[in-house]
Amino acid sequence: MELSESVTHKNGRLRKPVVSSSDMGERESKLEVECDEEALLPNSVRADGQVKACHGIKGELGNVALLLFLYVLQGIPLGLAGSIPLIMQSKNVSYKDQAYFSFVFWPFSLKLLWAPLVDSLYLRRFGRRKSWLVPTQYLLGLFMLYLSVTVDAMLQTDGQSGPDVITLTAVFFMLAFLAATQDIAVDGWALTMLSRENVGYASTCNSVGQTAGYFLGNVLFLALESADFCNKYLRFEPQERGIVTLSDFLYLWGIVFMVSTTLVAVLKKENNRHHHTKKKPKEETQSVMETYKLLLSIIKMPTVFTFCVLLLTAKIGFSAADAVTGLKLVEAGVPKEQLALLAVPMVPLQILLPLVISKYTAGPRPLDVFYKAFPFRLLIGLGYALLVWWTPSVRQEEGFPVYYYAVVLLGYAVHQVALYSMYVACMAFHAKVSDPVIGGTYMTLLNTVTNLGGNWPSTLALWLVDPLTFKECQGAPGQTCGSVEEAGLCVREGGTCVTTLDGYYVESVVCVLIGLCWWMFFGKRMKRLQAESPSAWHCRVVK
């Protein structure tokens, strides 16, 4: 269950593709020249400039540790951004405000727009990847230090007024934009920092590091920030506040970013020996304009254009369940830290699911799995609506019973099975159809469209909750609750605004109906794309 962006980061950042071993081997073979030419191991270069083969991972543990740490840093601002919607929901902000803030999660779905700039523009002496990594991480640290001083005023934790959503959105959007830019630089550096035989560890560092960083910035933070959680599990004497505040957490990681970036800038060197030889790395041959022209030529292909349109519309049916359910549970009184902690027991399942599902998507028709899982995920969305409706009746004075959390966890687990079935199938198809000559650009384009196809429906779903919700003023004749001002007047006249129809339930039904129509009419069209010949997917441009 994507209870919110704070529980899972699948909509918050661009996931790395899951491909079969044969596809992975083919793509790694294309990286061998680059890795040999730019390997940064000091003992990997002979006197004649050729690269020696490395044996084992022991000689590169330092590089692996650095990559892992950089990916952890990347996950921190994403985790913090994911925690803000739950904090704002506990302050009774409108769903329109939540829709504004959801734009924070868009940069990782749009980073393909500026990735060619990061790859092509750099200071030769300082290093191709460090030219972007170092200033980006310094800016991340400075933004966090700035937020540590101002975030309380933005959230209005003193209770004087509501949160400053626009400013929060702008600042956290910049954090996500910088994290996405850092991701581009680190992904590129990972391919050259490790030797050819160990370059496969880069994806492991990415997955483990980002997940760990997100966990620290989201789950751990929400737990330590919650006074109830700390008093119940971590303290002997209850206190009014948690162990850490958002300001404290931002200040700590702001300092970590500044110090660690300085150490990387001073101590870690990029090997620029290719600048002194006639042979240049293969990836430097394309200019920025050539890359953009290549992307445009890929999108113009009929099969790719059709597939992208299907990817951009496929997740409309899941938008209410994925974007609004978690916020509705918080609104119903479920502690936000408890929702965040539901992600912990799901980690083993999230690791095993791609491995199990990949056995069924390794054949010539991976989208068959996507098609079969689609209606089950729609039904789970209706189940979430029932869960939200049931939640208030289960609430007790001391909180929610254990069996309630067991039901929520079960629903979350079932949702993960359907979600990963669709996700792994989609990534397997991306790997199957991508033109091997331009595989990296091709795959990144398809993955970007896939992520964007989940972000825009979620933002729209949040935006429409309030307009679709109907309330009436009880206890004050003649008053209405159609707007914030009218609701305030109702209260001043001694009345109470009561919800007669929650827009979330309207959205849940409408989304499922739209999803069923998509599945019946367009799902089969997507399946038929698997019958297209390989030449229909190959880019016909002069390389």
Side-chain angles (χ1 to χ4, degrees), residues 98-115:
Q98 294 283 11
Y100 278 127
F101 192 82
S102 69
F103 283 106
V104 166
F105 304 102
W106 282 50
F108 270 82
S109 297
L110 299 173
K111 66 179 183 179
L112 185 64
L113 297 178
W114 66 91

Side-chain angles (χ1 to χ4, degrees), residues 13-86:
R13 61 180 173 85
L14 183 63
R15 295 287 301 266
K16 295 300 180 292
V18 178
V19 298
S20 64
S21 57
S22 60
D23 291 322
M24 183 64 74
E26 180 181 343
R27 298 188 190 290
E28 286 186 357
S29 67
K30 295 177 179 58
L31 299 172
E32 291 179 3
V33 176
E34 295 178 30
C35 295
D36 282 347
E37 288 175 338
E38 287 191 84
L40 300 184
L41 290 176
N43 62 349
S44 63
V45 185
R46 299 200 304 261
D48 59 1
Q50 297 299 315
V51 182
K52 298 188 297 185
C54 302
H55 300 284
I57 190 62
K58 291 184 178 180
E60 297 192 81
L61 287 178
N63 287 335
V64 171
L66 175 60
L67 282 176
L68 184 64
F69 180 70
L70 292 176
Y71 281 121
V72 169
L73 291 182
Q74 187 183 123
I76 296 296
L78 299 179
L80 286 171
S83 68
I84 298 299
L86 295 182

Side-chain angles (χ1 to χ4, degrees), residues 64 68 120 155 169 191-192 234 331 382 412 468 478 488 514:
V64 171
L68 184 64
S120 303
L155 286 170
T169 301
L191 296 178
T192 61
L234 303 177
E331 183 181 320
L382 290 179
Y412 189 6
L468 294 175
I514 293 175

Side-chain angles (χ1 to χ4, degrees), residues 463-482:
W463 192 283
L464 291 177
V465 171
D466 286 335
L468 294 175
T469 298
F470 296 92
K471 298 181 180 180
E472 64 179 21
C473 181
Q474 295 182 355
Q479 301 299 324
T480 60
C481 299

